[in-house]
Amino acid sequence: MDERGHNMYHCDEREFQLNFSGWPTNIINIEIPSIRGFGAYPSATEIAEVNLSSIECGLPTQLSFSAREISDGTFFKAIEDYDPDIKRILHQLKTLYHDDPVLNPLTPWDRPPLKNIFCIYGTDLKTEVGYYFAPSGKPYPDNWIITDVIYEIEGSLFSRSGNLVEGNPGASSGDETVPYHSLSWCKNWLGPKVNITRAPQSEHDGSDVQVELNVEHHHEEDILPNMTRLPRVKYITYYEDSESIPGKRTAVWEIDKANHRNIVRSPVLMRELWLQIWHDIHPDATSKFVTKAKRGPLRDEDCYWDYGKARCAWAEYCEYRYLFGDVHLGQSCRLKNSSANLLSHYL
């Protein structure tokens, strides 16, 4: 380990660093040439003229950098001699981030001064959290190549090559694009008392809904509900606080297996958002958040034919009612009552 606390790889020895700045692992692991003074990628002739005894084992040095060391510029300064674009990047880091009172990554990202905040994201998908780089031998801008990738997936860390990676994996993983550590940061905006509900994403009668009320939440710590999961069932976990921060309402929704790019097209998300908005504008609403007790069909399109029972599913809500133009049994399954009557259950 060097004087700055970086991991250094010499020959076959590897010194493991436990401090990842709260991240599951070091974000960047990079091989840099051990020779300075004639550019990052000298020719074979230039290498032959150098006294190789000055190179430890004749191998490049590998440094590892945590999230903090990338945010504060330590990583970029460490490779400044090996990349001609680093001076521009350091200038951008300072002017666009460090000097910005909102975007500065070195200061806490506090709850925005808004009355209502809903933070919604997907979880439990394979997501990149770390990278291994090495010199490519090519001129800029192709001077670095990725030699390996570290992924988080449901509480474990794996490399692209299939090896288990040591680190601090979270209880969940990200949405295939953004790591869970970043997505779940908005849980810090919840107050000291949080209500947690876990419910199936599909329509349900409430039998598999789990609720924990007034769960203690410590600032800058994740909240891990003591709840079970049935196999092959996708859930939404709601973290809701409308009491412990006076005058403000904060909610975090974690949607199992929701992809980052496709979440806005998720029928489940659209249903939940629509119900919450309808609840908020209804004059008879008595609770701060829409109930999660059950989710029944709300439109004719939500009714379908149950071939096992030879009838329309959700018999309490749906009935078989053929209309001219229906081409299969499912199209003839329609709501018994109007949507207005069904929505009264969600106040």
Side-chain angles (χ1 to χ4, degrees):
M1 183 175 292
D2 68 5
E3 65 274 8
R4 288 172 299 190
H6 297 145
N7 290 340
M8 299 184 68
Y9 294 65
H10 297 307
C11 301
D12 294 330
E13 294 184 3
R14 175 179 177 180
E15 189 167 357
F16 185 70
Q17 183 180 11
L18 295 177
N19 179 17
F20 303 120
S21 303
W23 204 256
T25 185
N26 288 314
I27 295 181
I28 291 181
N29 306 273
I30 187 168
E31 290 184 2
I32 61 172
S34 298
I35 309 169
R36 297 173 182 263
F38 48 80
Y41 310 104
S43 66
T45 304
E46 289 172 318
I47 291 179
E49 294 174 354
V50 175
N51 181 4
L52 293 181
S53 63
S54 65
I55 307 176
E56 195 167 4
C57 304
L59 296 176
T61 300
Q62 181 161 312
L63 302 179
S64 297
F65 297 88
S66 66
R68 171 78 186 198
E69 291 170 317
I70 295 173
S71 299
D72 65 15
T74 300
F75 160 65
F76 301 106
K77 293 174 184 176
I79 66 169
E80 189 172 5
D81 292 342
Y82 309 100
D83 194 311
D85 199 37
I86 292 301
K87 284 184 171 58
R88 181 184 65 85
I89 293 176
L90 284 170
H91 174 73
Q92 290 181 332
L93 180 65
K94 181 179 185 302
T95 56
L96 301 180
Y97 293 94
H98 291 172
D99 293 345
D100 190 296
V102 176
L103 298 180
N104 187 352
L106 304 179
T107 58
W109 190 19
D110 295 328
R111 186 188 188 280
L114 303 173
K115 183 177 180 180
N116 299 306
I117 290 181
F118 284 75
C119 181
I120 306 169
Y121 51 86
T123 62
D124 288 340
L125 291 174
K126 182 180 176 182
T127 306
E128 298 176 4
V129 294
Y131 305 89
Y132 283 81
F133 291 90
S136 66
K138 298 179 181 179
Y140 175 84
D142 301 317
N143 46 337
W144 301 103
I145 58 172
I146 296 177
T147 58
D148 208 348
V149 179
I150 302 173
Y151 299 94
E152 63 176 3
I153 176 65
E154 297 182 353
S156 299
L157 298 174
F158 288 91
S159 67
R160 184 170 59 185
S161 52
N163 298 319
L164 185 66
V165 177
E166 294 183 78
N168 299 323
S172 186
S173 54
D175 64 0
E176 215 168 48
T177 299
V178 182
Y180 182 76
H181 178 76
S182 294
L183 292 169
S184 62
W185 178 257
C186 49
K187 284 186 180 179
N188 287 302
W189 302 340
L190 295 163
K193 296 292 183 181
V194 180
N195 295 332
I196 306 176
T197 305
R198 177 170 289 167
Q201 294 182 19
S202 60
E203 285 82 6
H204 60 86
D205 60 6
S207 58
D208 191 22
V209 174
Q210 304 168 71
V211 179
E212 293 182 2
L213 300 177
N214 296 319
V215 177
E216 290 190 8
H217 171 227
H218 301 285
H219 186 58
E220 295 189 355
E221 290 187 10
D222 198 359
I223 308 176
L224 302 177
N226 184 23
M227 296 177 174
T228 59
R229 292 175 177 271
L230 293 176
R232 296 184 295 278
V233 176
K234 296 179 182 179
Y235 292 93
I236 302 181
T237 305
Y238 309 83
Y239 304 82
E240 297 173 328
D241 175 21
S242 62
E243 303 295 337
S244 54
I245 305 179
K248 299 184 185 299
R249 185 175 58 161
T250 309
V252 177
W253 297 355
E254 293 184 344
I255 306 177
D256 290 355
K257 306 297 183 182
N259 176 276
H260 179 86
R261 293 176 175 84
N262 297 325
I263 191 171
V264 294
R265 293 183 287 179
S266 166
V268 173
L269 174 61
M270 294 299 103
R271 179 196 68 199
E272 294 302 309
L273 284 176
W274 191 90
L275 283 174
Q276 185 63 56
I277 293 171
W278 178 85
H279 171 275
D280 288 348
I281 64 176
H282 200 284
D284 296 332
T286 57
S287 59
K288 297 291 185 180
F289 297 99
V290 66
T291 178
K292 314 299 186 299
K294 64 178 179 179
R295 287 291 183 269
L298 297 174
R299 308 167 301 164
D300 287 340
E301 292 82 353
D302 297 329
C303 297
Y304 58 92
W305 185 259
D306 186 337
Y307 285 89
K309 297 180 179 179
R311 68 180 188 189
C312 292
W314 291 95
E316 179 184 353
Y317 301 93
C318 303
E319 64 182 359
Y320 183 83
R321 192 165 71 250
Y322 173 82
L323 294 179
F324 179 76
D326 293 345
V327 296
H328 58 76
L329 293 171
Q331 283 186 320
S332 299
C333 291
R334 292 179 166 84
L335 293 174
K336 290 181 178 180
N337 302 305
S338 67
S339 295
N341 291 333
L342 294 174
L343 287 170
S344 63
H345 299 294
Y346 297 97
L347 292 177

